[in-house]
């Protein structure tokens, strides 16, 4: 169950930490009744620090156009790689806007809202990042109406977060399917710089991550392959595989922006 808090009750421990959110607070009218979001010229400045952003499976086809989609950690969480160095999203410009044509993950678009888990009551609670610089008193898009009911803006954001949570769960099921079929393998992204005389220099490792093995995929029994095709997973797998050419794009961007060789950093 997902809710907004209607009073500052004892919600128990809100578990989990999430990228970008510095001070998440359960949204309620007593604490946030006069607050809202104001329009600013640099709406995505907060995302500059996110070089690797969580992604849901339904976003794979669109995200594949922008950069690599990889899987990380024991949970094999899919992420969109948006930079080569930790803390530097190469697609966020100095003006706080994304480069034209770059897909903006839903994880970023939902900010400053996020669902948190209330372990004591087994429910999801809508929170805001109180540290967001565009949350102000008297903001153009208030969180609550005069009667302390959620505003239309908050309702739309809650619906977006609900949809995101649905997609997140679908993503977990997708990853579990890949695990069950033993399709993952460890992959390495590399970069070979050029010496001043034009000869290849020593190859550098940019990242090590999990990805789908094309060899394992091609060796699946025909019935399993057809099952992946029919349930839509096959298209998402191919989107992931095609996205990996995006490593070259990131390296090219790094080389264009800084003459020095990009530092290796695991995504």
């Amino acid at each position: 169950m997902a809710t907004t808090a209607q009073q500052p009750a004892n919600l128990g421990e809100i578990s989990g930490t999430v990228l970008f959110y510095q001070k998440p607070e359960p949204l309620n009218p007593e604490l946030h009744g006069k607050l809202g979001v104001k329009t600013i010229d640099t709406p995505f400045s907060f995302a500059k620090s996110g070089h690797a952003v969580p992604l849901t499976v339904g976003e794979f086809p669109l995200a594949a156009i922008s950069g690599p989609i990889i899987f990380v950690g024991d949970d094999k969480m899919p992420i969109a790689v948006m930079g080569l160095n930790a803390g530097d999203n190469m697609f966020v410009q100095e003006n706080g806007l994304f480069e034209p044509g770059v897909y903006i993950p839903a994880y970023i678009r939902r900010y400053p809202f996020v669902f948190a888990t209330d372990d004591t009551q087994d429910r999801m609670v809508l929170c805001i990042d109180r540290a967001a610089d565009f949350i102000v008193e008297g903001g153009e898009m208030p969180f609550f109406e005069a009667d302390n009911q959620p505003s239309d803006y908050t309702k739309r954001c809650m619906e977006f977060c609900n949809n995101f949570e649905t997609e997140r769960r679908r993503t977990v099921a997708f990853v579990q399917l890949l695990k069950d079929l033993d399709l993952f393998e460890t992959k390495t992204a590399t970069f070979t710089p050029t010496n001043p005389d034009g000869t290849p220099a020593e190859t550098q490792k940019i990242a090590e991550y999990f990805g789908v093995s094309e060899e394992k995929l091609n060796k699946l029994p025909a019935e399993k392959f057809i099952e992946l095709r029919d349930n839509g997973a096959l298209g998402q797998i191919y989107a992931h595989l095609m996205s990996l050419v995006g490593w070259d794009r990131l390296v090219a961007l790094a080389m264009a922006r800084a003459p020095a060789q990009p530092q290796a950093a695991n995504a």
Side-chain angles (χ1 to χ4, degrees):
M1 179 177 66
T3 67
T4 56
Q6 293 302 306
Q7 56 184 6
N10 181 9
L11 295 174
E13 181 180 357
I14 302 299
S15 65
T17 57
V18 286
L19 176 68
F20 303 137
Y21 296 81
Q22 301 178 44
K23 191 180 178 183
E25 295 179 356
L27 184 64
N28 70 74
E30 292 198 17
L31 288 178
H32 311 118
K34 297 181 179 180
L35 300 181
V37 170
K38 70 173 181 178
T39 301
I40 60 175
D41 295 330
T42 58
F44 295 113
S45 292
F46 70 90
K48 183 62 178 174
S49 63
H51 77 297
V53 179
L55 202 66
T56 61
V57 66
E59 299 178 276
F60 280 22
L62 291 173
I65 299 173
S66 299
I69 299 169
I70 65 175
F71 300 84
V72 299
D74 293 338
D75 293 335
K76 307 294 192 300
M77 174 191 292
I79 63 171
V81 181
M82 310 192 88
L84 295 181
N85 296 308
D88 182 20
N89 188 325
M90 297 171 66
F91 296 139
V92 177
Q93 304 172 101
E94 293 302 320
N95 61 5
L97 299 175
F98 271 86
E99 295 278 357
V102 170
Y103 177 73
I104 304 174
Y107 185 96
I108 292 176
R109 286 182 280 124
R110 72 175 179 173
Y111 187 84
F113 290 89
V114 65
F115 274 135
T117 302
D118 177 4
D119 291 330
T120 62
Q121 300 187 39
D122 190 26
R123 63 174 181 170
M124 301 295 289
V125 178
L126 186 67
C127 298
I128 56 169
D129 183 7
R130 189 63 186 86
D133 57 6
F134 48 79
I135 293 179
V136 297
E137 186 169 336
E140 301 160 30
M141 293 169 283
F143 294 135
F144 294 95
E145 303 290 355
D147 61 359
N148 286 341
Q149 292 303 306
S151 66
D152 289 341
Y153 169 70
T154 297
K155 291 176 182 177
R156 290 194 301 271
C157 292
M158 182 184 296
E159 182 180 6
F160 188 93
C161 289
N162 271 321
N163 292 337
F164 182 88
E165 180 63 18
T166 298
E167 287 299 300
R168 187 195 66 79
R169 291 175 181 175
R170 192 163 76 92
T171 302
V172 170
F174 170 77
V175 170
Q176 188 59 52
L177 176 61
L178 300 188
K179 288 180 179 180
D180 293 342
L181 294 174
D182 190 29
L183 291 181
F184 283 115
E185 68 176 359
T186 301
K187 293 178 179 284
T188 303
T190 60
F191 163 65
T192 304
T194 302
N195 291 319
D197 62 1
T199 59
E202 183 178 355
T203 298
Q204 301 178 16
K205 182 170 73 171
I206 298 174
E208 187 173 272
Y209 59 94
F210 294 108
V212 172
S213 165
E214 292 186 68
E215 181 180 358
K216 291 181 178 180
L217 180 64
N218 292 333
K219 287 183 178 179
L220 282 178
E223 63 273 14
K224 290 295 183 182
F225 197 86
I226 293 173
E227 181 181 337
L228 290 177
R229 182 200 66 188
D230 291 347
N231 65 21
L234 189 59
Q236 311 293 16
I237 290 172
Y238 283 139
H240 150 66
L241 292 173
M242 293 176 64
S243 78
L244 299 181
V245 301
W247 287 115
D248 292 337
R249 179 187 183 187
L250 293 178
V251 169
L253 281 174
M255 295 297 289
R257 295 176 182 180
Q261 298 171 5
Q263 299 176 2
N266 282 344

